[in-house]
Amino acid sequence: MSEPRPLFPADPKATYLAHAGAINAAIARVLAGGHYILGPEVEAFEREWAAYLGDGYAVGVANGTEALELALRAVGVAAGDRVATVANTVSATAAAIQQIGAEPVFVEIDVTTMTMSPGALAEVLTNVQPIKAVLPVHLYGRPAAMPEIMELARAHGAKVVEDCAQAHGAKIGDQRAGTWGDAAAFSFYPTKNLGALGDGGAVFATDATVADRVRSLRQYGWKPRYVSVAPGRNSRLDELQAAILRVKLPSLDAENAVRASHARRYLQRLAGGPWQLPPADERAKSVWHQFALRSPRRHAMLTHLAAHDIHAGVLYPVPLHHQPAYACEQKLPVTEQACAEVLCLPVHPGLTLADIDRGCDELLRWAEA
Ligand SMILES: *Cc1c(COP(=O)(O)O)cnc(C)c1O
């Protein structure tokens, strides 16, 4: 029998190879077309991505961090404003807020879903006046409690921007993540559920005025061309990435379904073990960007898995309020415990159910030892 292959948290090369013929053809088409930045491929992708999400407008930008920054600015966040977000996320979420000169205020998470707690948000909105915008993160592919968050934000006059960098295609009920707030930011970093072969991002907004502002901000604040109406930046999406994303978009739902089937297998086989499993889909339908287990014995589990060439990830080991760049006095015990306990098992669509079973076998063996 051959050695089992190593399993990783993500495999962007496998995703490329699954679409190699069509991607190579798309790249050749762009190269021959002579348009390399903000051309017909970007426009077509923006239409297709918006149609996939729901009623509204998509604007391609250079990456997910700038999508967050421009979305926040487009809904009115400016220097000195406070933005309520969570601390168990990638640094990019807070970096986008700080880029504007605004200040992140961290909100405690729900112990089960590990996304923003509506109860904690209510307290922050009441006690930390004024909060200009709320920035929930749909972590690991699971949408945050958007109906409750929207109601609270509306009641306090705060705007809402969704961080959808891990939630391409996720839903609450029948409505996609990204269509609940005043704007949403997506990343197309190669390891995301919809990934380019380089950097890319997009803002989605149901309001044409918000989308227009992003369109202006992504290119020097121009409106019309050659006249800057706001201090913009350069955050353009290029034609090659847009063409690649157009090849991959039609497979997003099928790839998310493979992730969901992997997740169901983990949930079935690992039930009752000495760890805490992520909640199964209910109202919120995850697209399983990560399958996040929790255990105070994370380190021993990681070591055992790695010895069998199964490489789990730790997303994210240090909450933002404990990182030098964002350090603050806030106490967030639920967040801190989640960051200390979480480990993410490989769940991407390049894996087979046999790979998932191998992960389950090893974890169960570790638990019995
Ligand atoms: C990936 C990610 C981002 C940043 O996206 P980039 O394209 O890397 O700038 C922001 N927020 C979350 C939750 C992410 O996972």
mmCIF file of all heavy atoms in Angstrom, residues 179-215:
data_model
loop_
_atom_site.group_PDB
_atom_site.id
_atom_site.type_symbol
_atom_site.label_atom_id
_atom_site.label_comp_id
_atom_site.label_asym_id
_atom_site.label_seq_id
_atom_site.Cartn_x
_atom_site.Cartn_y
_atom_site.Cartn_z
ATOM 1 N N THR A 179 -25.684 40.135 1.608
ATOM 2 C CA THR A 179 -26.822 40.937 1.128
ATOM 3 C C THR A 179 -27.641 41.489 2.290
ATOM 4 O O THR A 179 -28.697 42.076 2.079
ATOM 5 C CB THR A 179 -27.751 40.088 0.236
ATOM 6 O OG1 THR A 179 -28.282 39.008 1.025
ATOM 7 C CG2 THR A 179 -26.998 39.496 -0.941
ATOM 8 N N TRP A 180 -27.166 41.282 3.529
ATOM 9 C CA TRP A 180 -27.931 41.734 4.701
ATOM 10 C C TRP A 180 -27.595 43.169 5.079
ATOM 11 O O TRP A 180 -28.475 43.949 5.432
ATOM 12 C CB TRP A 180 -27.651 40.812 5.892
ATOM 13 C CG TRP A 180 -28.199 39.431 5.707
ATOM 14 C CD1 TRP A 180 -27.613 38.410 5.010
ATOM 15 C CD2 TRP A 180 -29.440 38.937 6.195
ATOM 16 N NE1 TRP A 180 -28.424 37.299 5.048
ATOM 17 C CE2 TRP A 180 -29.552 37.592 5.776
ATOM 18 C CE3 TRP A 180 -30.470 39.490 6.964
ATOM 19 C CZ2 TRP A 180 -30.649 36.799 6.088
ATOM 20 C CZ3 TRP A 180 -31.563 38.705 7.288
ATOM 21 C CH2 TRP A 180 -31.646 37.374 6.844
ATOM 22 N N GLY A 181 -26.326 43.502 5.026
ATOM 23 C CA GLY A 181 -25.871 44.792 5.533
ATOM 24 C C GLY A 181 -25.951 45.901 4.500
ATOM 25 O O GLY A 181 -26.510 45.733 3.423
ATOM 26 N N ASP A 182 -25.358 47.059 4.846
ATOM 27 C CA ASP A 182 -25.305 48.186 3.912
ATOM 28 C C ASP A 182 -24.257 47.936 2.839
ATOM 29 O O ASP A 182 -24.318 48.511 1.759
ATOM 30 C CB ASP A 182 -24.989 49.469 4.681
ATOM 31 C CG ASP A 182 -26.071 49.777 5.704
ATOM 32 O OD1 ASP A 182 -27.161 50.196 5.272
ATOM 33 O OD2 ASP A 182 -25.845 49.556 6.914
ATOM 34 N N ALA A 183 -23.286 47.108 3.148
ATOM 35 C CA ALA A 183 -22.269 46.710 2.176
ATOM 36 C C ALA A 183 -21.598 45.447 2.697
ATOM 37 O O ALA A 183 -21.722 45.116 3.882
ATOM 38 C CB ALA A 183 -21.226 47.816 1.981
ATOM 39 N N ALA A 184 -20.901 44.746 1.802
ATOM 40 C CA ALA A 184 -20.187 43.531 2.194
ATOM 41 C C ALA A 184 -18.856 43.501 1.461
ATOM 42 O O ALA A 184 -18.738 44.012 0.345
ATOM 43 C CB ALA A 184 -21.006 42.290 1.839
ATOM 44 N N ALA A 185 -17.871 42.872 2.122
ATOM 45 C CA ALA A 185 -16.540 42.772 1.519
ATOM 46 C C ALA A 185 -16.178 41.307 1.327
ATOM 47 O O ALA A 185 -16.327 40.496 2.244
ATOM 48 C CB ALA A 185 -15.509 43.440 2.426
ATOM 49 N N PHE A 186 -15.703 40.983 0.134
ATOM 50 C CA PHE A 186 -15.244 39.631 -0.195
ATOM 51 C C PHE A 186 -13.761 39.663 -0.535
ATOM 52 O O PHE A 186 -13.281 40.628 -1.129
ATOM 53 C CB PHE A 186 -16.013 39.070 -1.406
ATOM 54 C CG PHE A 186 -17.441 38.735 -1.098
ATOM 55 C CD1 PHE A 186 -18.429 39.704 -1.220
ATOM 56 C CD2 PHE A 186 -17.802 37.463 -0.677
ATOM 57 C CE1 PHE A 186 -19.759 39.410 -0.924
ATOM 58 C CE2 PHE A 186 -19.127 37.155 -0.391
ATOM 59 C CZ PHE A 186 -20.106 38.123 -0.513
ATOM 60 N N SER A 187 -13.070 38.584 -0.185
ATOM 61 C CA SER A 187 -11.683 38.386 -0.615
ATOM 62 C C SER A 187 -11.661 37.209 -1.579
ATOM 63 O O SER A 187 -12.392 36.234 -1.385
ATOM 64 C CB SER A 187 -10.794 38.061 0.589
ATOM 65 O OG SER A 187 -9.554 37.499 0.154
ATOM 66 N N PHE A 188 -10.823 37.307 -2.597
ATOM 67 C CA PHE A 188 -10.626 36.168 -3.509
ATOM 68 C C PHE A 188 -9.192 35.648 -3.429
ATOM 69 O O PHE A 188 -8.637 35.151 -4.406
ATOM 70 C CB PHE A 188 -10.999 36.563 -4.956
ATOM 71 C CG PHE A 188 -12.401 37.082 -5.099
ATOM 72 C CD1 PHE A 188 -12.635 38.366 -5.581
ATOM 73 C CD2 PHE A 188 -13.491 36.307 -4.729
ATOM 74 C CE1 PHE A 188 -13.930 38.861 -5.697
ATOM 75 C CE2 PHE A 188 -14.791 36.796 -4.839
ATOM 76 C CZ PHE A 188 -15.011 38.072 -5.329
ATOM 77 N N TYR A 189 -8.590 35.809 -2.263
ATOM 78 C CA TYR A 189 -7.281 35.207 -1.978
ATOM 79 C C TYR A 189 -7.367 33.724 -2.372
ATOM 80 O O TYR A 189 -8.419 33.101 -2.222
ATOM 81 C CB TYR A 189 -7.005 35.393 -0.477
ATOM 82 C CG TYR A 189 -5.663 34.913 -0.009
ATOM 83 C CD1 TYR A 189 -4.528 35.699 -0.213
ATOM 84 C CD2 TYR A 189 -5.523 33.691 0.644
ATOM 85 C CE1 TYR A 189 -3.285 35.266 0.227
ATOM 86 C CE2 TYR A 189 -4.280 33.251 1.078
ATOM 87 C CZ TYR A 189 -3.169 34.041 0.875
ATOM 88 O OH TYR A 189 -1.951 33.603 1.302
ATOM 89 N N PRO A 190 -6.265 33.154 -2.895
ATOM 90 C CA PRO A 190 -6.356 31.809 -3.493
ATOM 91 C C PRO A 190 -6.958 30.705 -2.621
ATOM 92 O O PRO A 190 -7.527 29.755 -3.152
ATOM 93 C CB PRO A 190 -4.897 31.492 -3.849
ATOM 94 C CG PRO A 190 -4.279 32.836 -4.092
ATOM 95 C CD PRO A 190 -4.940 33.775 -3.121
ATOM 96 N N THR A 191 -6.855 30.807 -1.294
ATOM 97 C CA THR A 191 -7.380 29.717 -0.453
ATOM 98 C C THR A 191 -8.831 29.914 -0.039
ATOM 99 O O THR A 191 -9.399 29.062 0.657
ATOM 100 C CB THR A 191 -6.548 29.569 0.831
ATOM 101 O OG1 THR A 191 -6.621 30.801 1.554
ATOM 102 C CG2 THR A 191 -5.103 29.248 0.523
ATOM 103 N N LYS A 192 -9.469 31.015 -0.451
ATOM 104 C CA LYS A 192 -10.871 31.236 -0.053
ATOM 105 C C LYS A 192 -11.789 30.300 -0.847
ATOM 106 O O LYS A 192 -11.374 29.717 -1.848
ATOM 107 C CB LYS A 192 -11.255 32.694 -0.302
ATOM 108 C CG LYS A 192 -10.305 33.713 0.304
ATOM 109 C CD LYS A 192 -10.319 33.759 1.818
ATOM 110 C CE LYS A 192 -9.516 34.974 2.297
ATOM 111 N NZ LYS A 192 -9.336 35.023 3.748
ATOM 112 N N ASN A 193 -13.048 30.214 -0.455
ATOM 113 C CA ASN A 193 -13.974 29.301 -1.156
ATOM 114 C C ASN A 193 -14.084 29.655 -2.633
ATOM 115 O O ASN A 193 -14.216 28.764 -3.469
ATOM 116 C CB ASN A 193 -15.352 29.332 -0.517
ATOM 117 C CG ASN A 193 -15.374 28.645 0.839
ATOM 118 O OD1 ASN A 193 -14.439 28.812 1.625
ATOM 119 N ND2 ASN A 193 -16.407 27.873 1.129
ATOM 120 N N LEU A 194 -14.063 30.950 -2.960
ATOM 121 C CA LEU A 194 -13.908 31.371 -4.356
ATOM 122 C C LEU A 194 -12.590 32.131 -4.410
ATOM 123 O O LEU A 194 -12.486 33.235 -3.871
ATOM 124 C CB LEU A 194 -15.077 32.273 -4.801
ATOM 125 C CG LEU A 194 -14.984 32.790 -6.242
ATOM 126 C CD1 LEU A 194 -14.952 31.651 -7.259
ATOM 127 C CD2 LEU A 194 -16.127 33.749 -6.560
ATOM 128 N N GLY A 195 -11.591 31.514 -5.032
ATOM 129 C CA GLY A 195 -10.249 32.081 -4.991
ATOM 130 C C GLY A 195 -9.708 32.377 -6.372
ATOM 131 O O GLY A 195 -9.927 31.619 -7.315
ATOM 132 N N ALA A 196 -8.979 33.483 -6.479
ATOM 133 C CA ALA A 196 -8.278 33.816 -7.716
ATOM 134 C C ALA A 196 -6.908 33.132 -7.688
ATOM 135 O O ALA A 196 -6.635 32.297 -6.813
ATOM 136 C CB ALA A 196 -8.130 35.328 -7.820
ATOM 137 N N LEU A 197 -6.033 33.458 -8.647
ATOM 138 C CA LEU A 197 -4.659 32.941 -8.635
ATOM 139 C C LEU A 197 -3.726 34.115 -8.394
ATOM 140 O O LEU A 197 -2.718 34.308 -9.078
ATOM 141 C CB LEU A 197 -4.358 32.211 -9.947
ATOM 142 C CG LEU A 197 -5.234 30.968 -10.154
ATOM 143 C CD1 LEU A 197 -4.993 30.347 -11.518
ATOM 144 C CD2 LEU A 197 -4.976 29.932 -9.059
ATOM 145 N N GLY A 198 -4.084 34.894 -7.419
ATOM 146 C CA GLY A 198 -3.372 36.102 -7.043
ATOM 147 C C GLY A 198 -4.317 36.808 -6.103
ATOM 148 O O GLY A 198 -5.256 36.187 -5.579
ATOM 149 N N ASP A 199 -4.105 38.101 -5.885
ATOM 150 C CA ASP A 199 -5.011 38.842 -5.004
ATOM 151 C C ASP A 199 -6.240 39.324 -5.764
ATOM 152 O O ASP A 199 -6.177 39.586 -6.970
ATOM 153 C CB ASP A 199 -4.279 40.053 -4.410
ATOM 154 C CG ASP A 199 -3.507 39.704 -3.147
ATOM 155 O OD1 ASP A 199 -4.084 39.019 -2.281
ATOM 156 O OD2 ASP A 199 -2.333 40.107 -3.037
ATOM 157 N N GLY A 200 -7.330 39.448 -5.028
ATOM 158 C CA GLY A 200 -8.548 40.015 -5.605
ATOM 159 C C GLY A 200 -9.565 40.214 -4.502
ATOM 160 O O GLY A 200 -9.468 39.602 -3.427
ATOM 161 N N GLY A 201 -10.534 41.072 -4.741
ATOM 162 C CA GLY A 201 -11.592 41.304 -3.761
ATOM 163 C C GLY A 201 -12.773 41.970 -4.434
ATOM 164 O O GLY A 201 -12.712 42.332 -5.616
ATOM 165 N N ALA A 202 -13.867 42.104 -3.698
ATOM 166 C CA ALA A 202 -15.042 42.796 -4.227
ATOM 167 C C ALA A 202 -15.870 43.344 -3.079
ATOM 168 O O ALA A 202 -15.891 42.777 -1.991
ATOM 169 C CB ALA A 202 -15.899 41.856 -5.080
ATOM 170 N N VAL A 203 -16.527 44.450 -3.372
ATOM 171 C CA VAL A 203 -17.541 44.977 -2.463
ATOM 172 C C VAL A 203 -18.889 44.688 -3.098
ATOM 173 O O VAL A 203 -19.044 44.810 -4.323
ATOM 174 C CB VAL A 203 -17.365 46.504 -2.252
ATOM 175 C CG1 VAL A 203 -18.504 47.066 -1.404
ATOM 176 C CG2 VAL A 203 -16.020 46.794 -1.604
ATOM 177 N N PHE A 204 -19.866 44.294 -2.270
ATOM 178 C CA PHE A 204 -21.234 44.145 -2.753
ATOM 179 C C PHE A 204 -22.106 45.119 -1.976
ATOM 180 O O PHE A 204 -21.912 45.306 -0.765
ATOM 181 C CB PHE A 204 -21.747 42.714 -2.532
ATOM 182 C CG PHE A 204 -23.177 42.526 -2.964
ATOM 183 C CD1 PHE A 204 -23.482 42.233 -4.293
ATOM 184 C CD2 PHE A 204 -24.227 42.676 -2.056
ATOM 185 C CE1 PHE A 204 -24.800 42.085 -4.701
ATOM 186 C CE2 PHE A 204 -25.547 42.528 -2.456
ATOM 187 C CZ PHE A 204 -25.837 42.235 -3.789
ATOM 188 N N ALA A 205 -23.032 45.768 -2.668
ATOM 189 C CA ALA A 205 -23.979 46.668 -1.992
ATOM 190 C C ALA A 205 -25.303 46.619 -2.722
ATOM 191 O O ALA A 205 -25.340 46.508 -3.958
ATOM 192 C CB ALA A 205 -23.448 48.096 -1.962
ATOM 193 N N THR A 206 -26.381 46.676 -1.962
ATOM 194 C CA THR A 206 -27.699 46.687 -2.601
ATOM 195 C C THR A 206 -28.048 48.099 -3.080
ATOM 196 O O THR A 206 -28.891 48.253 -3.957
ATOM 197 C CB THR A 206 -28.786 46.204 -1.613
ATOM 198 O OG1 THR A 206 -28.619 46.908 -0.383
ATOM 199 C CG2 THR A 206 -28.664 44.721 -1.356
ATOM 200 N N ASP A 207 -27.399 49.097 -2.512
ATOM 201 C CA ASP A 207 -27.671 50.492 -2.848
ATOM 202 C C ASP A 207 -26.670 50.967 -3.914
ATOM 203 O O ASP A 207 -25.453 50.906 -3.708
ATOM 204 C CB ASP A 207 -27.534 51.320 -1.556
ATOM 205 C CG ASP A 207 -27.795 52.800 -1.773
ATOM 206 O OD1 ASP A 207 -27.818 53.248 -2.946
ATOM 207 O OD2 ASP A 207 -27.957 53.514 -0.764
ATOM 208 N N ALA A 208 -27.180 51.448 -5.041
ATOM 209 C CA ALA A 208 -26.316 51.867 -6.154
ATOM 210 C C ALA A 208 -25.380 53.006 -5.740
ATOM 211 O O ALA A 208 -24.252 53.101 -6.240
ATOM 212 C CB ALA A 208 -27.174 52.296 -7.344
ATOM 213 N N THR A 209 -25.814 53.866 -4.836
ATOM 214 C CA THR A 209 -24.969 54.996 -4.418
ATOM 215 C C THR A 209 -23.723 54.497 -3.682
ATOM 216 O O THR A 209 -22.623 55.007 -3.888
ATOM 217 C CB THR A 209 -25.761 55.924 -3.462
ATOM 218 O OG1 THR A 209 -27.069 56.070 -3.993
ATOM 219 C CG2 THR A 209 -25.111 57.268 -3.323
ATOM 220 N N VAL A 210 -23.913 53.493 -2.825
ATOM 221 C CA VAL A 210 -22.778 52.921 -2.092
ATOM 222 C C VAL A 210 -21.809 52.277 -3.088
ATOM 223 O O VAL A 210 -20.591 52.491 -3.025
ATOM 224 C CB VAL A 210 -23.272 51.901 -1.041
ATOM 225 C CG1 VAL A 210 -22.101 51.166 -0.399
ATOM 226 C CG2 VAL A 210 -24.113 52.602 0.024
ATOM 227 N N ALA A 211 -22.346 51.520 -4.037
ATOM 228 C CA ALA A 211 -21.497 50.867 -5.035
ATOM 229 C C ALA A 211 -20.752 51.908 -5.877
ATOM 230 O O ALA A 211 -19.568 51.744 -6.172
ATOM 231 C CB ALA A 211 -22.345 49.963 -5.931
ATOM 232 N N ASP A 212 -21.425 52.986 -6.233
ATOM 233 C CA ASP A 212 -20.782 54.049 -7.015
ATOM 234 C C ASP A 212 -19.626 54.675 -6.257
ATOM 235 O O ASP A 212 -18.587 54.991 -6.840
ATOM 236 C CB ASP A 212 -21.795 55.155 -7.353
ATOM 237 C CG ASP A 212 -22.562 54.827 -8.627
ATOM 238 O OD1 ASP A 212 -22.119 53.908 -9.361
ATOM 239 O OD2 ASP A 212 -23.588 55.481 -8.881
ATOM 240 N N ARG A 213 -19.810 54.861 -4.952
ATOM 241 C CA ARG A 213 -18.725 55.436 -4.143
ATOM 242 C C ARG A 213 -17.513 54.520 -4.156
ATOM 243 O O ARG A 213 -16.379 54.985 -4.283
ATOM 244 C CB ARG A 213 -19.187 55.654 -2.696
ATOM 245 C CG ARG A 213 -19.787 57.021 -2.520
ATOM 246 C CD ARG A 213 -20.002 57.329 -1.037
ATOM 247 N NE ARG A 213 -21.260 58.035 -0.919
ATOM 248 C CZ ARG A 213 -22.300 57.665 -0.195
ATOM 249 N NH1 ARG A 213 -22.226 56.592 0.569
ATOM 250 N NH2 ARG A 213 -23.396 58.365 -0.212
ATOM 251 N N VAL A 214 -17.743 53.216 -4.036
ATOM 252 C CA VAL A 214 -16.614 52.273 -4.068
ATOM 253 C C VAL A 214 -15.936 52.330 -5.432
ATOM 254 O O VAL A 214 -14.705 52.324 -5.526
ATOM 255 C CB VAL A 214 -17.083 50.831 -3.753
ATOM 256 C CG1 VAL A 214 -15.935 49.840 -3.890
ATOM 257 C CG2 VAL A 214 -17.694 50.763 -2.362
ATOM 258 N N ARG A 215 -16.732 52.419 -6.480
ATOM 259 C CA ARG A 215 -16.177 52.471 -7.842
ATOM 260 C C ARG A 215 -15.270 53.685 -7.999
ATOM 261 O O ARG A 215 -14.233 53.625 -8.662
ATOM 262 C CB ARG A 215 -17.331 52.517 -8.857
ATOM 263 C CG ARG A 215 -17.086 51.659 -10.068
ATOM 264 C CD ARG A 215 -18.340 51.502 -10.910
ATOM 265 N NE ARG A 215 -19.060 50.285 -10.567
ATOM 266 C CZ ARG A 215 -20.333 50.228 -10.199
ATOM 267 N NH1 ARG A 215 -21.060 51.332 -10.147
ATOM 268 N NH2 ARG A 215 -20.879 49.088 -9.904
#
